Coordinates of all heavy atoms in Angstrom, one line a residue:
S1 N 93.7 61.0 55.9 CA 92.5 61.6 55.3 C 92.3 61.3 53.8 O 91.4 61.0 53.4 CB 92.5 63.1 55.6 OG 91.4 63.7 54.9
D2 N 93.5 61.5 53.1 CA 93.5 61.2 51.7 C 93.2 59.8 51.4 O 92.6 59.3 50.4 CB 94.7 61.7 51.0 CG 94.8 63.2 50.9 OD1 93.8 63.9 50.9 OD2 96.0 63.7 50.8
L3 N 93.8 58.9 52.2 CA 93.6 57.5 52.1 C 92.1 57.1 52.2 O 91.6 56.2 51.5 CB 94.5 56.8 53.1 CG 94.4 55.2 53.1 CD1 95.0 54.7 51.7 CD2 95.2 54.6 54.2
I4 N 91.5 57.7 53.2 CA 90.1 57.4 53.4 C 89.2 57.9 52.2 O 88.3 57.2 51.7 CB 89.5 58.1 54.7 CG1 90.3 57.4 55.9 CG2 88.0 57.9 54.9 CD1 90.0 58.1 57.2
I5 N 89.6 59.1 51.8 CA 88.8 59.6 50.6 C 89.0 58.8 49.4 O 88.1 58.4 48.6 CB 89.2 61.1 50.3 CG1 88.8 62.0 51.5 CG2 88.6 61.6 49.0 CD1 89.3 63.4 51.4
N6 N 90.2 58.3 49.1 CA 90.5 57.4 48.0 C 89.8 56.2 48.1 O 89.3 55.6 47.2 CB 92.0 57.3 47.8 CG 92.7 58.5 47.2 OD1 92.1 59.4 46.7 ND2 94.0 58.6 47.6
K7 N 89.7 55.6 49.3 CA 89.1 54.3 49.5 C 87.6 54.4 49.3 O 87.0 53.6 48.6 CB 89.3 53.8 51.0 CG 88.8 52.5 51.3 CD 89.6 51.4 50.6 CE 89.1 50.0 51.1 NZ 89.7 49.0 50.3
L8 N 87.0 55.6 49.7 CA 85.6 55.8 49.5 C 85.3 56.0 48.0 O 84.2 55.6 47.5 CB 85.1 57.0 50.3 CG 84.9 56.9 51.8 CD1 84.7 58.2 52.5 CD2 83.8 55.9 52.0
K9 N 86.2 56.6 47.2 CA 86.0 56.9 45.8 C 86.0 55.5 45.1 O 85.3 55.5 44.0 CB 87.2 57.8 45.2 CG 87.0 59.2 45.6 CD 88.1 60.0 44.9 CE 87.9 61.5 45.3 NZ 89.0 62.3 44.7
T10 N 86.7 54.5 45.6 CA 86.8 53.3 44.9 C 85.7 52.4 45.2 O 85.6 51.2 44.6 CB 88.2 52.6 45.1 OG1 88.3 52.3 46.5 CG2 89.4 53.4 44.6
L11 N 84.9 52.7 46.2 CA 83.8 51.8 46.6 C 82.6 51.8 45.6 O 82.1 52.8 45.2 CB 83.2 52.3 47.9 CG 82.1 51.6 48.6 CD1 82.8 50.2 49.1 CD2 81.5 52.3 49.8
D12 N 82.4 50.6 45.1 CA 81.2 50.3 44.2 C 80.0 50.0 45.1 O 79.8 48.9 45.6 CB 81.6 49.2 43.2 CG 80.5 48.9 42.2 OD1 79.4 49.6 42.3 OD2 80.7 48.0 41.4
V13 N 79.1 51.0 45.2 CA 78.0 50.9 46.1 C 77.1 49.7 45.7 O 76.6 49.0 46.5 CB 77.2 52.2 46.2 CG1 76.0 52.1 47.0 CG2 78.1 53.3 46.6
T14 N 76.7 49.6 44.4 CA 75.9 48.5 44.0 C 76.4 47.2 44.3 O 75.8 46.3 44.8 CB 75.5 48.7 42.5 OG1 75.0 50.1 42.3 CG2 74.5 47.7 42.0
R15 N 77.7 47.0 43.9 CA 78.3 45.7 44.2 C 78.4 45.4 45.7 O 78.1 44.3 46.1 CB 79.8 45.7 43.6 CG 80.4 44.4 43.7 CD 81.9 44.3 43.1 NE 82.8 45.3 43.5 CZ 83.4 45.2 44.7 NH1 83.2 44.1 45.4 NH2 84.2 46.2 45.1
E16 N 78.8 46.3 46.5 CA 78.8 46.2 47.9 C 77.4 45.9 48.6 O 77.3 45.0 49.5 CB 79.4 47.4 48.6 CG 80.8 47.6 48.4 CD 81.8 46.5 48.9 OE1 81.4 46.0 50.1 OE2 82.8 46.2 48.4
Y17 N 76.4 46.6 47.9 CA 75.0 46.2 48.4 C 74.6 44.8 48.1 O 74.1 44.1 49.0 CB 74.1 47.3 47.7 CG 72.6 47.1 48.1 CD1 72.2 47.6 49.2 CD2 71.8 46.3 47.3 CE1 70.8 47.5 49.6 CE2 70.5 46.2 47.6 CZ 69.9 46.8 48.7 OH 68.6 46.6 49.0
N18 N 74.9 44.4 46.9 CA 74.5 43.0 46.6 C 75.4 42.0 47.3 O 74.7 41.0 47.8 CB 74.7 42.8 45.0 CG 73.8 43.6 44.2 OD1 72.7 43.9 44.7 ND2 74.1 43.9 43.0
E19 N 76.6 42.3 47.5 CA 77.4 41.4 48.4 C 76.9 41.3 49.8 O 76.8 40.2 50.4 CB 78.9 41.9 48.3 CG 79.8 41.0 49.2 CD 80.0 39.6 48.6 OE1 79.7 39.3 47.4 OE2 80.5 38.7 49.4
T20 N 76.6 42.4 50.3 CA 76.1 42.4 51.8 C 74.8 41.7 51.9 O 74.5 40.9 52.8 CB 75.9 43.9 52.3 OG1 77.2 44.5 52.1 CG2 75.5 43.9 53.7
K21 N 73.9 41.8 50.9 CA 72.6 41.1 50.9 C 72.9 39.6 50.8 O 72.2 38.8 51.5 CB 71.7 41.5 49.8 CG 71.0 42.8 50.0 CD 69.9 43.0 49.0 CE 68.7 42.4 49.4 NZ 67.4 42.9 48.9
R22 N 73.9 39.2 50.0 CA 74.2 37.8 49.9 C 74.8 37.3 51.3 O 74.4 36.1 51.7 CB 75.3 37.6 48.8 CG 75.6 36.1 48.5 CD 76.7 35.9 47.6 NE 78.0 36.4 48.0 CZ 78.7 35.8 49.0 NH1 78.3 34.7 49.5 NH2 79.8 36.3 49.3
L23 N 75.6 38.0 51.8 CA 76.2 37.7 53.2 C 75.1 37.6 54.3 O 75.2 36.8 55.1 CB 77.3 38.6 53.6 CG 78.6 38.6 52.9 CD1 79.4 39.8 53.3 CD2 79.3 37.3 53.0
L24 N 74.1 38.4 54.1 CA 73.1 38.4 55.1 C 72.2 37.1 55.2 O 71.7 36.7 56.2 CB 72.1 39.6 54.9 CG 71.1 40.0 56.0 CD1 71.9 40.3 57.2 CD2 70.4 41.3 55.6
N25 N 72.1 36.5 54.0 CA 71.3 35.2 53.9 C 71.9 34.1 54.7 O 71.3 33.2 55.2 CB 71.2 34.8 52.4 CG 70.4 35.7 51.6 OD1 69.5 36.4 52.2 ND2 70.6 35.8 50.3
N26 N 73.3 34.1 54.8 CA 74.0 33.0 55.6 C 74.6 33.6 56.8 O 75.5 32.9 57.3 CB 75.1 32.4 54.7 CG 74.5 31.9 53.4 OD1 73.4 31.4 53.3 ND2 75.2 32.1 52.3
A27 N 74.2 34.7 57.4 CA 74.9 35.3 58.5 C 74.4 34.7 59.8 O 73.3 34.1 60.0 CB 74.5 36.8 58.6
T28 N 75.3 34.6 60.8 CA 75.1 34.2 62.1 C 74.2 35.3 62.7 O 74.3 36.5 62.4 CB 76.3 33.9 62.9 OG1 77.0 35.2 63.1 CG2 77.3 32.9 62.2
P29 N 73.5 35.0 63.9 CA 72.8 36.0 64.6 C 73.6 37.2 65.0 O 73.1 38.3 65.1 CB 72.2 35.2 65.8 CG 72.1 33.8 65.3 CD 73.3 33.6 64.4
L30 N 74.9 36.9 65.4 CA 75.8 38.0 65.8 C 76.1 39.0 64.6 O 76.4 40.2 64.8 CB 77.0 37.5 66.4 CG 76.9 36.7 67.7 CD1 78.2 36.1 68.1 CD2 76.4 37.7 68.8
Q31 N 76.1 38.5 63.4 CA 76.6 39.3 62.3 C 75.3 40.0 61.7 O 75.5 41.0 60.9 CB 77.1 38.4 61.2 CG 78.4 37.7 61.5 CD 78.8 36.6 60.5 OE1 78.0 36.0 60.0 NE2 80.1 36.6 60.4
V32 N 74.1 39.6 62.0 CA 72.9 40.2 61.4 C 72.8 41.7 61.6 O 72.6 42.5 60.7 CB 71.6 39.5 61.8 CG1 70.4 40.2 61.3 CG2 71.7 38.0 61.2
N33 N 73.1 42.2 62.8 CA 72.9 43.5 63.1 C 73.9 44.4 62.4 O 73.6 45.5 61.8 CB 73.0 43.7 64.7 CG 72.6 45.1 65.0 OD1 71.8 45.7 64.5 ND2 73.3 45.6 66.1
T34 N 75.1 43.9 62.4 CA 76.2 44.7 61.5 C 76.0 44.7 60.1 O 76.0 45.8 59.5 CB 77.6 44.0 61.8 OG1 77.8 43.9 63.2 CG2 78.7 44.8 61.2
L35 N 75.5 43.7 59.6 CA 75.2 43.6 58.1 C 73.9 44.5 57.8 O 73.9 45.1 56.7 CB 75.0 42.2 57.6 CG 76.3 41.3 57.6 CD1 76.0 39.8 57.3 CD2 77.3 41.8 56.6
N36 N 72.9 44.4 58.7 CA 71.8 45.2 58.5 C 72.2 46.8 58.4 O 71.6 47.5 57.6 CB 70.7 45.0 59.4 CG 69.8 43.8 59.0 OD1 69.6 43.5 57.8 ND2 69.2 43.1 60.0
K37 N 73.0 47.1 59.3 CA 73.4 48.5 59.5 C 74.2 48.9 58.2 O 73.9 50.0 57.5 CB 74.3 48.7 60.6 CG 74.6 50.2 60.9 CD 75.7 50.3 62.0 CE 75.1 49.8 63.3 NZ 76.0 50.1 64.5
R38 N 75.0 48.0 57.7 CA 75.8 48.3 56.5 C 74.8 48.4 55.3 O 75.0 49.3 54.4 CB 76.8 47.2 56.3 CG 77.7 47.4 55.1 CD 78.7 46.3 55.0 NE 79.6 46.5 53.9 CZ 80.5 45.7 53.5 NH1 80.7 44.6 54.2 NH2 81.2 45.9 52.5
L39 N 73.9 47.6 55.2 CA 72.9 47.5 54.2 C 72.1 48.8 54.2 O 71.8 49.4 53.1 CB 72.0 46.3 54.4 CG 71.3 45.8 53.1 CD1 72.3 45.4 52.0 CD2 70.4 44.6 53.5
R40 N 71.7 49.3 55.3 CA 71.0 50.6 55.3 C 71.9 51.8 54.7 O 71.3 52.5 54.0 CB 70.5 50.9 56.8 CG 69.4 50.1 57.2 CD 68.8 50.7 58.5 NE 69.7 50.7 59.6 CZ 70.0 49.8 60.5 NH1 69.3 48.7 60.5 NH2 70.8 50.0 61.5
Y41 N 73.1 51.9 55.1 CA 73.9 52.9 54.6 C 74.1 52.8 53.1 O 74.0 53.8 52.3 CB 75.3 52.8 55.2 CG 75.5 53.4 56.6 CD1 75.6 52.7 57.8 CD2 75.4 54.8 56.8 CE1 75.7 53.2 59.0 CE2 75.4 55.4 58.1 CZ 75.6 54.6 59.1 OH 75.7 55.1 60.4
L42 N 74.3 51.6 52.6 CA 74.5 51.4 51.2 C 73.3 51.6 50.5 O 73.2 52.2 49.3 CB 75.1 49.9 51.0 CG 76.5 49.6 51.4 CD1 76.7 48.1 51.4 CD2 77.5 50.4 50.6
N43 N 72.1 51.3 51.1 CA 70.8 51.5 50.4 C 70.5 53.0 50.2 O 70.1 53.4 49.1 CB 69.7 50.8 51.2 CG 68.5 50.8 50.4 OD1 68.4 50.6 49.2 ND2 67.3 51.0 51.1
V44 N 70.9 53.8 51.2 CA 70.7 55.2 51.1 C 71.5 55.8 50.0 O 71.1 56.6 49.2 CB 70.9 55.9 52.4 CG1 71.0 57.4 52.3 CG2 69.9 55.5 53.4
L45 N 72.8 55.4 49.9 CA 73.7 55.9 48.9 C 73.2 55.4 47.6 O 73.2 56.2 46.6 CB 75.1 55.3 49.1 CG 75.9 55.8 50.3 CD1 77.2 55.0 50.5 CD2 76.2 57.3 50.2
R46 N 72.7 54.3 47.5 CA 72.2 53.7 46.1 C 70.9 54.4 45.7 O 70.8 54.9 44.5 CB 72.0 52.2 46.3 CG 71.8 51.4 45.0 CD 71.9 49.9 45.4 NE 70.8 49.6 46.2 CZ 69.6 49.2 45.7 NH1 69.4 49.1 44.5 NH2 68.6 48.8 46.6
E47 N 70.0 54.6 46.6 CA 68.7 55.2 46.3 C 68.9 56.6 45.9 O 68.1 57.1 45.0 CB 67.7 55.1 47.4 CG 67.1 53.7 47.6 CD 66.2 53.7 48.7 OE1 66.0 54.6 49.4 OE2 65.5 52.6 48.9
H48 N 69.7 57.3 46.6 CA 69.9 58.8 46.3 C 71.0 59.1 45.4 O 71.4 60.2 45.0 CB 70.1 59.5 47.6 CG 68.9 59.5 48.5 ND1 67.9 60.3 48.3 CD2 68.8 58.8 49.6 CE1 66.9 60.0 49.3 NE2 67.5 59.1 50.1
K49 N 71.6 58.1 44.8 CA 72.7 58.2 43.8 C 73.8 59.1 44.3 O 74.3 60.0 43.6 CB 72.1 58.6 42.4 CG 71.2 57.6 41.8 CD 70.6 58.2 40.5 CE 69.6 57.2 39.8 NZ 68.7 56.4 40.6
L50 N 74.2 58.8 45.5 CA 75.3 59.6 46.1 C 76.6 58.8 46.0 O 76.6 57.6 46.2 CB 75.0 59.8 47.6 CG 73.8 60.7 47.9 CD1 73.5 60.7 49.4 CD2 74.1 62.1 47.4
A51 N 77.6 59.6 45.8 CA 79.0 59.0 45.8 C 79.4 59.0 47.3 O 79.3 59.9 48.0 CB 80.0 59.8 45.0
P52 N 80.0 57.8 47.8 CA 80.4 57.8 49.2 C 81.4 58.9 49.7 O 81.3 59.4 50.7 CB 81.1 56.4 49.4 CG 80.5 55.6 48.2 CD 80.2 56.6 47.1
D53 N 82.3 59.3 48.8 CA 83.2 60.3 49.2 C 82.6 61.6 49.3 O 82.9 62.5 50.1 CB 84.4 60.4 48.2 CG 83.9 60.7 46.8 OD1 83.0 60.1 46.3 OD2 84.6 61.6 46.1
K54 N 81.5 61.9 48.6 CA 80.8 63.2 48.6 C 79.8 63.2 49.8 O 79.5 64.2 50.4 CB 80.0 63.5 47.4 CG 80.8 63.5 46.1 CD 81.8 64.7 46.1 CE 82.4 64.8 44.8 NZ 83.8 65.2 44.8
A55 N 79.2 62.0 50.2 CA 78.3 61.8 51.2 C 78.9 61.9 52.6 O 78.3 62.4 53.5 CB 77.5 60.6 51.1
Y56 N 80.1 61.4 52.7 CA 80.7 61.2 54.1 C 81.9 62.0 54.4 O 82.4 61.9 55.5 CB 80.9 59.7 54.3 CG 79.7 58.9 54.3 CD1 79.6 57.9 53.3 CD2 78.7 59.1 55.3 CE1 78.5 57.2 53.3 CE2 77.6 58.3 55.2 CZ 77.4 57.4 54.3 OH 76.2 56.6 54.3
V57 N 82.3 62.9 53.5 CA 83.5 63.7 53.8 C 83.1 65.2 53.6 O 82.6 65.5 52.5 CB 84.6 63.4 52.8 CG1 85.8 64.3 53.0 CG2 85.0 61.9 52.9
L58 N 83.3 65.9 54.6 CA 82.9 67.4 54.6 C 84.1 68.1 53.9 O 85.3 68.2 54.5 CB 82.8 67.9 56.0 CG 82.2 69.3 56.2 CD1 80.8 69.5 55.6 CD2 82.2 69.6 57.7
T59 N 84.0 68.8 52.8 CA 85.0 69.5 52.1 C 84.8 71.0 52.3 O 85.7 71.8 52.2 CB 85.0 69.2 50.6 OG1 83.7 69.5 50.1 CG2 85.4 67.8 50.4
I60 N 83.6 71.5 52.6 CA 83.4 72.9 52.8 C 82.8 73.0 54.2 O 81.8 72.4 54.6 CB 82.3 73.4 51.8 CG1 82.8 73.3 50.4 CG2 82.0 74.9 52.2 CD1 81.9 73.7 49.3
L61 N 83.5 73.9 55.1 CA 83.0 74.0 56.4 C 82.3 75.3 56.6 O 82.8 76.4 56.3 CB 84.4 74.1 57.3 CG 84.0 74.3 58.8 CD1 83.4 73.0 59.4 CD2 85.3 74.5 59.6
P62 N 81.0 75.3 57.0 CA 80.3 76.5 57.2 C 80.9 77.2 58.4 O 81.2 76.6 59.4 CB 78.9 76.0 57.5 CG 78.9 74.6 57.8 CD 80.2 74.1 57.2
V63 N 81.0 78.5 58.3 CA 81.6 79.4 59.4 C 80.4 80.3 60.0 O 79.7 80.9 59.3 CB 82.8 80.2 58.8 CG1 83.3 81.1 60.0 CG2 83.8 79.3 58.3
M64 N 80.3 80.2 61.3 CA 79.3 81.0 61.9 C 79.7 82.5 61.9 O 80.9 82.9 61.9 CB 79.3 80.7 63.5 CG 78.7 79.4 63.7 SD 78.6 78.7 65.5 CE 78.7 80.2 66.4
P65 N 78.8 83.4 61.8 CA 79.1 84.8 61.7 C 79.8 85.3 63.0 O 79.6 84.7 64.1 CB 77.7 85.5 61.6 CG 76.8 84.5 61.1 CD 77.3 83.2 61.6
P66 N 80.7 86.3 62.9 CA 81.5 86.7 64.1 C 80.7 87.2 65.2 O 81.1 87.1 66.3 CB 82.2 87.9 63.5 CG 82.3 87.8 62.1 CD 81.1 87.0 61.7
I67 N 79.4 87.6 65.0 CA 78.6 88.1 66.1 C 78.3 86.9 67.2 O 78.2 87.1 68.3 CB 77.3 88.7 65.6 CG1 76.6 89.4 66.8 CG2 76.4 87.7 65.0 CD1 75.5 90.4 66.4
F68 N 78.4 85.6 66.6 CA 78.1 84.5 67.4 C 79.4 83.8 68.0 O 79.3 82.9 68.7 CB 77.3 83.4 66.6 CG 76.0 83.9 66.3 CD1 75.7 84.0 64.9 CD2 75.0 84.2 67.2 CE1 74.5 84.5 64.5 CE2 73.8 84.7 66.8 CZ 73.5 84.8 65.5
R69 N 80.6 84.4 67.7 CA 81.8 83.9 68.2 C 82.7 85.1 68.6 O 83.7 85.4 68.1 CB 82.5 83.0 67.2 CG 82.5 83.5 65.8 CD 83.0 82.5 64.8 NE 83.0 83.1 63.5 CZ 84.1 83.7 62.9 NH1 85.2 83.8 63.5 NH2 84.0 84.2 61.7
P70 N 82.3 85.8 69.6 CA 83.0 87.1 70.0 C 84.4 87.0 70.6 O 84.8 86.0 71.1 CB 81.9 87.7 71.0 CG 81.4 86.5 71.7 CD 81.3 85.5 70.6
I71 N 85.1 88.0 70.4 CA 86.3 88.2 71.1 C 86.2 89.6 71.8 O 85.9 90.6 71.3 CB 87.5 88.3 70.1 CG1 87.7 87.0 69.3 CG2 88.8 88.6 70.8 CD1 88.6 87.2 68.2
Y72 N 86.4 89.5 73.2 CA 86.2 90.7 74.0 C 87.2 90.8 75.1 O 87.6 89.7 75.7 CB 84.7 90.8 74.5 CG 84.2 89.6 75.2 CD1 84.4 89.4 76.5 CD2 83.5 88.6 74.5 CE1 83.9 88.3 77.2 CE2 83.1 87.4 75.1 CZ 83.3 87.3 76.5 OH 82.8 86.2 77.1
P73 N 87.6 92.0 75.5 CA 88.5 92.1 76.7 C 87.8 91.9 78.0 O 86.7 92.2 78.2 CB 89.0 93.6 76.6 CG 87.9 94.3 75.8 CD 87.2 93.2 75.0
L74 N 88.6 91.3 79.0 CA 88.1 91.1 80.4 C 88.6 92.2 81.2 O 89.6 93.0 80.8 CB 88.7 89.7 80.8 CG 88.2 88.5 80.1 CD1 88.9 87.3 80.7 CD2 86.7 88.3 80.3
P75 N 88.0 92.5 82.4 CA 88.4 93.6 83.2 C 89.9 93.5 83.6 O 90.5 94.5 83.8 CB 87.5 93.4 84.4 CG 86.4 92.7 84.0 CD 86.8 91.8 82.9
S76 N 90.5 92.3 83.6 CA 91.9 92.2 84.0 C 92.8 92.5 82.8 O 94.0 92.6 82.9 CB 92.1 90.7 84.3 OG 91.9 89.9 83.2
G77 N 92.3 92.8 81.6 CA 93.1 93.2 80.5 C 93.3 92.0 79.5 O 93.9 92.1 78.4
D78 N 93.0 90.7 79.9 CA 93.1 89.6 79.1 C 92.0 89.6 78.0 O 91.1 90.4 78.1 CB 92.9 88.3 79.9 CG 94.1 88.1 80.8 OD1 95.2 88.6 80.6 OD2 93.9 87.4 81.8
I79 N 92.2 88.9 77.0 CA 91.3 88.8 75.8 C 90.6 87.5 76.0 O 91.2 86.4 76.1 CB 92.0 88.9 74.5 CG1 92.8 90.2 74.4 CG2 91.0 88.7 73.4 CD1 92.3 91.3 73.5
Q80 N 89.3 87.5 76.0 CA 88.4 86.3 76.0 C 88.1 86.0 74.5 O 87.4 86.8 73.8 CB 87.2 86.4 76.8 CG 86.2 85.4 76.9 CD 86.8 84.2 77.6 OE1 87.5 84.3 78.6 NE2 86.5 82.9 77.1
V81 N 88.4 84.7 74.1 CA 88.1 84.3 72.8 C 87.1 83.2 72.9 O 87.2 82.2 73.6 CB 89.3 83.8 72.1 CG1 89.0 83.3 70.7 CG2 90.4 84.9 72.0
A82 N 86.0 83.2 72.1 CA 85.0 82.1 72.1 C 85.7 80.8 71.6 O 86.5 80.9 70.7 CB 83.9 82.5 71.1
P83 N 85.4 79.7 72.2 CA 86.1 78.5 71.9 C 86.0 78.1 70.4 O 86.8 77.4 69.8 CB 85.4 77.4 72.8 CG 84.9 78.2 73.9 CD 84.5 79.6 73.3
I84 N 84.9 78.4 69.8 CA 84.7 78.0 68.4 C 85.7 78.7 67.5 O 86.1 78.1 66.4 CB 83.2 78.4 67.9 CG1 82.9 77.8 66.5 CG2 83.0 79.9 67.8 CD1 82.7 76.4 66.5
N85 N 86.2 79.9 67.9 CA 87.3 80.5 67.2 C 88.5 79.7 67.1 O 89.2 79.5 66.1 CB 87.6 81.9 67.7 CG 86.5 82.9 67.4 OD1 86.1 82.9 66.3 ND2 86.3 83.8 68.3
K86 N 88.9 79.1 68.2 CA 90.1 78.2 68.4 C 89.8 76.9 67.5 O 90.7 76.4 66.9 CB 90.3 77.8 69.8 CG 90.8 79.0 70.6 CD 90.9 78.7 72.0 CE 91.2 80.0 72.9 NZ 91.3 79.8 74.2
H87 N 88.6 76.5 67.5 CA 88.2 75.3 66.7 C 88.5 75.6 65.2 O 89.1 74.8 64.5 CB 86.8 74.9 66.9 CG 86.3 73.8 66.0 ND1 86.7 72.5 66.2 CD2 85.4 73.8 65.1 CE1 86.2 71.8 65.3 NE2 85.4 72.5 64.6
Y88 N 88.0 76.8 64.7 CA 88.2 77.1 63.3 C 89.8 77.3 63.0 O 90.2 76.9 61.9 CB 87.4 78.5 63.0 CG 86.0 78.3 62.9 CD1 85.1 79.3 63.4 CD2 85.4 77.3 62.3 CE1 83.8 79.2 63.3 CE2 84.0 77.2 62.2 CZ 83.3 78.2 62.7 OH 81.8 78.1 62.6
R89 N 90.4 77.9 64.0 CA 91.9 78.0 63.8 C 92.6 76.6 63.6 O 93.4 76.4 62.7 CB 92.5 78.7 65.0 CG 94.0 78.9 64.8 CD 94.7 79.3 66.2 NE 94.5 78.1 67.0 CZ 94.5 78.2 68.3 NH1 94.6 79.4 68.9 NH2 94.3 77.2 69.1
D90 N 92.2 75.7 64.4 CA 92.8 74.4 64.4 C 92.5 73.6 63.2 O 93.3 72.9 62.6 CB 92.4 73.5 65.7 CG 92.9 74.1 66.9 OD1 93.9 74.9 66.9 OD2 92.4 73.7 68.0
I91 N 91.2 73.8 62.6 CA 90.9 73.1 61.4 C 91.6 73.7 60.2 O 91.9 73.1 59.2 CB 89.2 73.2 61.2 CG1 88.6 72.3 62.3 CG2 88.9 72.8 59.8 CD1 87.2 72.3 62.2
A92 N 91.8 75.0 60.2 CA 92.4 75.7 59.1 C 93.8 75.3 58.9 O 94.4 75.5 57.7 CB 92.2 77.2 59.2
L93 N 94.4 74.8 59.9 CA 95.9 74.6 59.7 C 96.1 73.3 59.0 O 95.8 72.5 58.6 CB 96.5 74.4 61.1 CG 96.5 75.7 62.0 CD1 97.1 75.5 63.3 CD2 97.3 76.8 61.2

């Protein structure tokens, strides 16, 4: 995870955008779709002045209120836990 974040931090969006446009001029038909997709992502980052690490890495996880992720006892005595609670537990570790 840290490796990905560090790689995104070192990405120069303007340089990558210009390089991709240059590659698109000489691209084969098979490469055009991939390069166009890359160009769209880079263009959005460039136009909105977003850093790639801030745009594509979630650092704050919104948590649903407890009313929407209940824990309640079953008639057998077992406890039923909403699956989202287990998801939050796994992410927090």
Side-chain angles (χ1 to χ4, degrees):
S1 173
D2 290 336
L3 182 63
I4 295 170
I5 293 171
N6 289 334
K7 186 71 174 171
L8 287 172
K9 283 182 181 179
T10 61
L11 184 71
D12 182 357
V13 175
T14 305
R15 185 177 57 77
E16 290 293 327
Y17 179 83
N18 293 334
E19 178 67 19
T20 304
K21 281 190 88 155
R22 188 187 64 74
L23 289 173
L24 195 56
N25 292 333
N26 303 323
T28 65
L30 292 174
Q31 295 172 326
V32 169
N33 192 31
T34 304
L35 290 172
N36 274 330
K37 187 185 298 185
R38 183 176 181 186
L39 203 58
R40 284 193 305 268
Y41 280 110
L42 291 168
N43 192 37
V44 168
L45 290 172
R46 198 170 59 91
E47 284 181 353
H48 294 285
K49 295 176 179 42
L50 294 172
D53 60 314
K54 302 292 186 219
Y56 296 118
V57 177
L58 186 65
T59 56
I60 298 173
L61 180 68
V63 178
M64 289 177 24
I67 194 165
F68 297 115
R69 46 188 179 93
I71 298 174
Y72 50 90
L74 296 173
S76 65
D78 293 336
I79 303 251
Q80 177 67 37
V81 178
I84 191 72
N85 286 322
K86 294 177 184 173
H87 175 69
Y88 287 140
R89 180 197 63 207
D90 292 342
I91 288 178
L93 295 176

